[in-house]
Amino acid sequence: MSEASGEVSRRRPAPVRRSVGMTGAGDRIVMVADSAFARGGATSLVRRAIRALRARGRAVTLLCGELGDEAQDPMGPLHACGAEVVTLGQGRLRSKGALTAARQGLWNVQAQDMVARWVAAHDTPRTLYHLHGWAQILSPAAFAALAPVAPRTVLHAHDFFLACPNGVYMDFPRQEVCRRAPLSGACLSTQCDKRSAAQKGWRLLRHRHVRRALSAVPWGAVAMIHPAMAEPLRRGGVTIPLHVVLNPAAPFATARIKAERNRALAFVGRLDPEKGAADLAVAAAELGLDVIFIGEGPDADRIRHVLPRAEMTGWQPRSEIGAFLTQARGLVMPSRLPEPFGLVAAEASLSGLPVILPQISLLSAAMTEADLGVSYAHQDPSALGAALARLRDMPDDSVARMSRRGASGAHRLAQSEAEWIDGLEGLYRDVLARAQGVEAA
C-alpha cells in the first residue's frame, strides 16, 4: 500500500535465527517509533538497534508512523535484515495542515489502532516493547495502545518529552534553560514556546495526556541516554524506574584524524537556530576562520551570507563524513539547547577531533574532565568566539594530545555498539523479570 494512504502496510520478516539465551531478553522485541527513516540521532539509533538485535538472532518488529525513504540508507531496508516492519504511512506533523496537525498531534487515532491491533493479535507473555519516539506522528495515543503491556514496555528518553511540554526544558523567547517544574503555575504562565503562545497551549494539552498515561499503569522502565537526565525527568513527574543506557558511538574515520595539522573547524548536523550553526558562522567570520558545514537546514542561506568562505556539503552518508573531517582542527557543537547527549561530539572525539561544546550540553563536563576539548558558557555572546580562538591558538602539540586521547578510546564519551546492545538486552531481561510479578498480581 502507498505510504501516503495513511493505511497500515507490512514488510514481512525473514525466518528468525535463534540464539542461546534468547528468551531471557524476550521472544520478540517490538520497537515503536514515529519513523523508520533515519532523520537524526534517535531514528538512526532505532535502525542500528534493530539490525544489531537481528544479528544476535532476536525476532524484531518495528511499528512506525512512516517508512520514509529507506533507499537513502546505505545499509538497505530494515526488512532485508529479517525485521518485520509495520507502517502507518503518515507524514510528520509539520507536513500537514495546521488543523490536521493539531488534532492528530494531540491524539492519533490511527496510530493507536495500529499498535493496539498488533498487540491484540501477536502479544505473548515474553514480548518486550520499546517505545522510542511518539511526538512527531504517533502522539500520546501510543501510550494508550501500549497500556495493556505497560509492565513489559521500555520508554526511551532520547529527549525530555516524557517530562517537559516542549521536550527540551528550554525557554526559547529568553534563550534560557528552563528550571521550572512542568505543569506548575510558573510553567503554565510562561510563554516558552519557540513559535507562539497558542503553540505552548497546545503542547500543554498534549502533555496532560502524557502525564496521565505515565501515571495510569506501571511501566517497565525509562531508558536514559545520560545519567544527568534523571533530575529533569523526576522534576517532570516521571516516577517510572530510570536506567542509564549510554548511546553508542563509532569514529567517523578509520585512522586518527591528525587535527594538529589542520586549521578549519567542522559542524555536523541540522542547520537551524537551535543547533547554533549560524552562531558558529558569525563567530568564525569575526575570527577569519574556515568552517565545513555538513548538513542542511533553514539557516543555510544565512550561513552563506555571513561566511561566504564556508564549505557547505549538504547531508552526507555517514561513510563519507570522515573524508570531510580530515581537514578539521576540531568539531564545534554550538547548540543553544541542553542536549541530553550529542552523538556527533562523541563520534568526532573518537575520530581524533577536539570538540567545542557549550556548558549546557550534558556531555560537556565529561569532555572537559577527560581533556578532549573546550567548553564555553552559552549565555555569554562572546564565549563561543573565545572558545574558537582558544582552539585556533592552542599549540599543535596540545591539540595532538587531545586528538590522541580521543582516538585511543581510553576516555570515551559513549559506548561501543556491542556494549550498547548488551545494555539494552540486560534492561529487557530486568523488565521482563519484574513484569512477571506485576502481571501475575
Side-chain angles (χ1 to χ4, degrees), residues 12-202:
R12 291 292 182 180
V16 176
R17 175 174 55 83
R18 297 278 171 173
S19 64
V20 175
M22 181 172 179
T23 56
D27 294 334
R28 177 170 292 273
I29 311 300
V30 180
M31 301 286 190
V32 184
D34 279 323
S35 180
F37 178 50
R39 294 183 181 274
T43 46
S44 296
L45 290 172
V46 173
R47 296 181 72 85
R48 288 174 66 179
I50 290 172
R51 288 197 176 94
L53 289 166
R54 283 293 304 138
R56 294 190 179 192
R58 307 297 184 198
V60 183
T61 292
L62 172 64
L63 308 180
C64 61
E66 68 168 354
L67 191 60
D69 186 3
E70 288 195 304
Q72 295 188 29
D73 190 333
M75 297 295 290
L78 288 173
H79 70 86
C81 74
E84 178 189 34
V85 179
V86 181
T87 177
L88 193 58
Q90 294 182 348
R92 289 154 64 91
L93 295 179
R94 293 180 185 177
S95 68
K96 303 178 184 299
L99 291 177
T100 300
R103 182 181 66 254
Q104 199 169 85
L106 285 176
W107 199 269
N108 189 331
V109 176
Q110 290 175 306
Q112 180 180 1
D113 184 60
M114 175 187 70
V115 177
R117 281 193 288 123
W118 195 98
V119 172
H122 304 286
D123 183 53
T124 73
R126 301 295 302 171
T127 300
L128 188 288
Y129 298 84
H130 192 156
L131 176 60
H132 282 272
W134 52 269
Q136 296 299 326
I137 299 176
L138 301 180
S139 83
F143 295 99
L146 291 169
V149 292
R152 288 183 273 119
T153 300
V154 173
L155 309 176
H156 212 115
H158 295 284
D159 46 42
F160 290 113
F161 272 118
L162 292 175
C164 171
N166 71 20
V168 288
Y169 276 107
M170 186 71 181
D171 187 328
F172 285 94
R174 297 166 185 81
Q175 287 297 296
E176 297 174 351
V177 177
C178 178
R179 307 293 181 186
R180 304 175 187 90
L183 299 189
S184 66
C187 170
L188 296 174
S189 61
T190 301
Q191 197 321 74
C192 60
D193 193 80
K194 63 181 177 181
R195 295 188 180 90
S196 66
Q199 178 78 358
K200 168 66 183 286
W202 178 86

Side-chain angles (χ1 to χ4, degrees), residues 78 150 319 335 343 385 425:
L78 288 173
S319 59
S335 178
L343 185 59
E425 289 188 319

Side-chain angles (χ1 to χ4, degrees), residues 103-435:
R103 182 181 66 254
Q104 199 169 85
L106 285 176
W107 199 269
N108 189 331
V109 176
Q110 290 175 306
Q112 180 180 1
D113 184 60
M114 175 187 70
V115 177
R117 281 193 288 123
W118 195 98
V119 172
H122 304 286
D123 183 53
T124 73
R126 301 295 302 171
T127 300
L128 188 288
Y129 298 84
H130 192 156
L131 176 60
H132 282 272
W134 52 269
Q136 296 299 326
I137 299 176
L138 301 180
S139 83
F143 295 99
L146 291 169
V149 292
R152 288 183 273 119
T153 300
V154 173
L155 309 176
H156 212 115
H158 295 284
D159 46 42
F160 290 113
F161 272 118
L162 292 175
C164 171
N166 71 20
V168 288
Y169 276 107
M170 186 71 181
D171 187 328
F172 285 94
R174 297 166 185 81
Q175 287 297 296
E176 297 174 351
V177 177
C178 178
R179 307 293 181 186
R180 304 175 187 90
L183 299 189
S184 66
C187 170
L188 296 174
S189 61
T190 301
Q191 197 321 74
C192 60
D193 193 80
K194 63 181 177 181
R195 295 188 180 90
S196 66
Q199 178 78 358
K200 168 66 183 286
W202 178 86
R203 289 185 185 276
L204 289 170
L205 287 175
R206 183 175 70 169
H207 194 67
R208 289 186 185 277
H209 288 311
V210 176
R211 183 72 67 89
R212 282 195 293 267
L214 296 184
S215 61
V217 289
W219 297 92
V222 170
M224 304 183 297
I225 60 177
H226 194 280
M229 296 183 75
E231 188 280 326
L233 287 171
R234 293 299 191 211
R235 190 187 342 146
V238 177
T239 59
I240 304 163
L242 303 177
H243 295 261
V244 178
V245 183
L246 291 177
N247 281 342
F252 288 114
T254 55
R256 180 182 78 87
I257 296 174
K258 294 179 172 57
E260 66 275 12
R261 298 181 179 178
N262 303 324
R263 290 295 176 263
L265 299 170
F267 174 96
V268 180
R270 298 193 309 276
L271 307 181
D272 61 21
E274 290 79 20
K275 294 297 183 180
D279 298 337
L280 171 58
V282 171
E286 292 175 352
L287 294 168
L289 295 173
D290 293 324
V291 183
I292 306 161
F293 288 92
I294 304 172
E296 296 176 359
D299 276 355
D301 288 343
R302 184 185 175 205
I303 291 169
R304 291 188 183 95
H305 175 74
V306 171
L307 190 66
R309 60 196 292 172
E311 181 177 354
M312 311 285 287
T313 75
W315 287 119
Q316 296 292 323
R318 192 185 186 284
S319 59
E320 303 297 322
I321 292 176
F324 292 99
L325 296 183
T326 57
Q327 308 168 54
R329 188 174 184 84
L331 179 126
V332 189
M333 198 183 85
S335 178
R336 298 178 180 181
L337 307 177
E339 298 274 2
F341 193 78
L343 185 59
V344 167
E347 293 172 323
S349 179
L350 285 171
S351 305
L353 288 182
V355 178
I356 297 178
L357 286 175
Q359 291 173 357
I360 56 171
S361 168
L362 298 191
L363 282 185
S364 176
M367 181 205 66
T368 53
E369 182 179 344
D371 190 26
L372 298 175
V374 177
S375 67
Y376 65 93
H378 78 286
Q379 67 272 21
D380 181 351
S382 65
L384 174 57
L388 303 185
R390 180 179 170 189
L391 182 61
R392 177 198 62 188
D393 299 337
M394 190 177 292
D396 289 348
D397 58 349
S398 297
V399 175
R401 184 189 69 248
M402 278 188 182
S403 174
R404 293 191 183 97
R405 285 173 68 85
S408 72
H411 306 278
R412 288 182 302 162
L413 301 175
Q415 301 186 97
S416 68
E417 184 166 288
E419 292 169 330
W420 176 53
I421 297 300
D422 286 344
L424 287 178
E425 289 188 319
L427 178 56
Y428 295 164
R429 284 191 291 270
D430 291 345
V431 167
L432 285 173
R434 289 198 304 268

